[in-house]
Structure formats: structure tokens, C-alpha cells
Amino acid sequence: MPATGIRISSHTRIPDPNGWDAVVAAAGAPVFYRSALLSSYAARPLQPTLDVRYLTVGSGADLAAVMPLYLVPARDPFGKQTVEGPPWAVSHFWHCYDTRLPLRHGEQELVEPLWDAMRAQAREWGAAEFGFINMALDSPLTPLMAGRARRVPRNHRFRMPLTAVGGFAEHLERLPGRVRQDARRQLRLAARAQITGHVYRDPVPERVIREACRLLKLTADRYNPGYYEQGPLAHLLANVGAPACVFTLEDAGHVVAASVSFVDGRTLHNWAIGVEAEVRGNFSPYLVLLDLSVDYAVSQGCEVIELGRTNPVWKQRFGAEPVELVSWMCNSEE
């Protein structure tokens, strides 16, 4: 049970979106914790989701911590582990690669009661395991989790600092000569093909949402079938609000590549990319989208681009830094 004097409540909907978002902002948690994104995802989840609860500590002006908790099938869509049996209770959906525990003032004394509340909800659900997924290994919570749960390695995520550059061209100057030369060649090939880059912000046009969702599903189905379904993804982009940002590469008005992104204060999240397969034979759409993204991020005062998981060799080749991710999981009956 939670420690005396600490009131933790469980809700089926976010009870006070403004209060929730105030805690998220104070904690410096990423866009994946904002109420509009969480509510949009819950309405039409991208992955099988059996139930969701929103945990809050305190209420009103005294709200001190918030956390979503999802009941999901016992499966990691990025790994090979599929477990026959009871589901898991996890700290976020799998599409979030930067799990946090949003605390308004960094109150470490709240971690233990919140962990106990997660365990209690997991037991109520009949979940076999519960815990935090996709958390940076260098998180301040790591020392607190090490004695409570087992560490499960996950994919790295990748980030590119922007504070020392004025755009992608300047960023290239910091990379090895061969990488720099190849990048410039790819940009020339795209220019010769008369490919144009576009940036769409909220409200993103319906045409762009439709084409971006088509491309994301097309690309995901080659590597991770079912990870991006068009209907739920379109719903998310149409309802997440101001953070929504879609970068496109277009050939005579036809979208041939798209990056679904979120602008989150000083961070640009390049969340997911989709491309038409035949385009990759002409130039690298990933490189051209990165060029477009970096220039836009710098123009918006962003200090870092988050590049998500997968494709580690390519991302590090172009200067991205790896962040080791782990999950902290525990049997609910322990």
C-alpha cells in the first residue's frame, strides 16, 4: 500500500488534463506524456491494449506525479519474446521510446508508493508482470529500480544534439569525409529528381495524414508487421494537436517519403518514417528527410533531435548518439 499521507488515485480517463500537463512540463517529460496524445492513443491504440489506467498523486494544485499504466499482451513487438499466458502491466505503450516517471519536483520518495500502486493495479488486472519499459539506463530511477525489479535489455534509441550547429550543412562538416561526400551526393540526386521537401504542422492536411499513414504502414510491414496501422495512426495525428509535425518528400505533388514527428519544446522527435520502396533506388530518402528535419529543428530553436530506435549503424554514421534502453520488470505476486 502507498505510504501514509501519499494519496494515489487510479482513473480510467485523465481527470484533469491541464493539471496533468503541468506536471509533465515541470518534470521535463517528453510529448508522449501529454494528455492529448495519451487520450488520442487510448481511443484508438496502435498496438493491442486491454486496459489503461492513469495514476495521479495528489489532486488539483497539489498534483505531484502522474503516470499512465497499460495492460497489454505479454509481447515485446521489437523483440522475439512472446509469452503464452497472462498479460503485462507496463508504464507506457511500446511506441514511446523514452519512458519517464513524471514527478513535479523530483520527489524520489514517491517512487516506492507509485511502484506499489503499479503492483496493486497489476494484481487487480491479473497481469503476470509489471514495470517500466524503454527507460534510459542512465535515468535517475535506475538506482531505485535495481533493487526492486530485474533489468531487461531493450533496443537503444538515438539522439542528435543541435546546440553547436546552424543547420544540416554545418552538421555535415563535423562528420568524416566519406560520410559527408555521400550525404551531399544523395542531396544532389534528390534535387535532380526534382524532389521537394515540405513541412506540415497542426492541423496537418488530411491528404498528408493519409499519405504518411500509408507509407508508415508500408515500411513497417516489411520489418514489423502491424506496428503502424493506418486508421489508429491517422486518428492520433489528427488529434494530438500542436506537437504534430509531418515532413514529406514529394514528386510532382505525390508523397514518396514521410517522417511523422512531434515538436516538443527544445526537442524534435522524428518518431517514425515511411518511404516508397522504389524511391530508395534513386536516392536516400532517409538522408534527405534528416536534412529537412535538422534545418527545421534548428529554425525552431530545438536543441536535439530524437531519432527513435532501429537502424543503429546508419544513425550513428550520421552523428547520432546511442542511449541504452532497459525495462524494469517484476512479477506482480512478488
Side-chain angles (χ1 to χ4, degrees):
M1 295 295 292
T4 302
I6 297 177
R7 181 177 53 175
I8 299 179
S9 303
S10 177
H11 314 267
T12 56
R13 295 178 181 274
I14 295 174
D16 175 10
N18 291 332
W20 180 286
D21 288 340
V23 174
V24 170
V31 64
F32 304 107
Y33 286 90
R34 293 194 191 182
S35 60
L37 193 150
L38 293 173
S39 298
S40 298
Y41 187 96
R44 297 195 66 181
L46 288 168
Q47 284 281 292
T49 303
L50 307 175
D51 205 348
V52 60
R53 292 291 187 275
Y54 303 98
L55 305 182
T56 59
V57 179
S59 62
D62 295 325
L63 199 61
V66 298
M67 195 188 77
L69 190 66
Y70 295 84
L71 183 66
V72 298
R75 172 182 176 267
D76 175 1
F78 274 90
K80 297 180 179 179
Q81 183 183 13
T82 300
V83 180
E84 296 293 337
W88 296 341
V90 296
S91 59
H92 220 307
F93 45 75
W94 288 107
H95 293 80
C96 171
Y97 48 68
D98 186 7
T99 288
R100 310 283 185 93
L101 177 53
L103 306 170
R104 184 186 287 274
H105 301 297
E107 305 95 330
Q108 298 299 304
E109 68 272 15
L110 297 180
V111 175
E112 183 171 355
L114 277 165
W115 184 253
D116 290 342
M118 291 171 66
R119 185 195 309 273
Q121 184 62 62
R123 287 175 175 173
E124 181 180 326
W125 274 333
E129 299 184 12
F130 74 98
F132 292 100
I133 60 170
N134 296 328
M135 179 174 283
L137 182 58
D138 62 1
S139 164
L141 292 185
T142 291
L144 300 173
M145 289 294 102
R148 291 183 169 88
R150 69 182 185 279
R151 190 172 89 187
V152 182
R154 298 293 181 196
N155 299 60
H156 289 72
R157 79 175 204 262
F158 297 88
R159 63 199 310 270
M160 182 182 292
L162 301 175
T163 52
V165 299
F168 189 67
E170 190 172 329
H171 173 74
L172 283 181
E173 293 298 326
R174 299 169 179 267
L175 302 181
R178 289 184 179 181
V179 176
R180 185 167 61 247
Q181 292 166 12
D182 181 61
R184 289 169 176 166
R185 184 175 68 88
Q186 297 298 334
L187 293 172
R188 288 196 300 270
L189 289 172
R192 289 171 187 168
Q194 297 186 319
I195 298 297
T196 58
H198 302 266
V199 181
Y200 298 95
R201 294 298 303 271
D202 180 66
V204 180
E206 182 178 345
R207 172 190 70 89
V208 175
I209 290 178
R210 182 174 62 252
E211 288 299 294
C213 293
R214 176 184 67 84
L215 291 172
L216 260 64
K217 177 174 173 54
L218 184 68
T219 300
D221 284 353
R222 290 200 295 268
Y223 309 104
N224 196 351
Y227 196 64
Y228 291 116
E229 294 298 336
Q230 295 184 66
L233 184 58
H235 175 83
L236 182 70
L237 288 178
N239 290 279
V240 71
C245 181
V246 178
F247 300 98
T248 66
L249 302 182
E250 302 184 19
D251 181 0
H254 175 61
V255 179
V256 297
S259 169
V260 172
S261 303
F262 303 111
V263 179
D264 180 14
R266 297 298 184 182
T267 303
L268 174 65
H269 293 268
N270 272 174
W271 183 58
I273 289 179
V275 303
E276 290 189 342
E278 57 271 22
V279 172
R280 293 178 298 164
N282 301 323
F283 62 91
S284 170
Y286 303 102
L287 187 282
V288 182
L289 283 169
L290 182 61
D291 171 47
L292 184 63
S293 300
V294 169
D295 283 352
Y296 183 75
V298 170
S299 76
Q300 298 300 300
C302 293
E303 298 176 350
V304 66
I305 286 186
E306 290 280 355
L307 297 174
R309 295 156 288 190
T310 72
N311 206 2
V313 174
W314 186 90
K315 290 174 180 176
Q316 290 180 92
R317 183 172 181 242
F318 286 99
E321 302 171 347
V323 177
E324 186 174 357
L325 300 179
V326 298
S327 291
W328 297 102
M329 299 297 292
C330 185
N331 294 336
S332 59
E333 296 302 325
E334 289 184 358

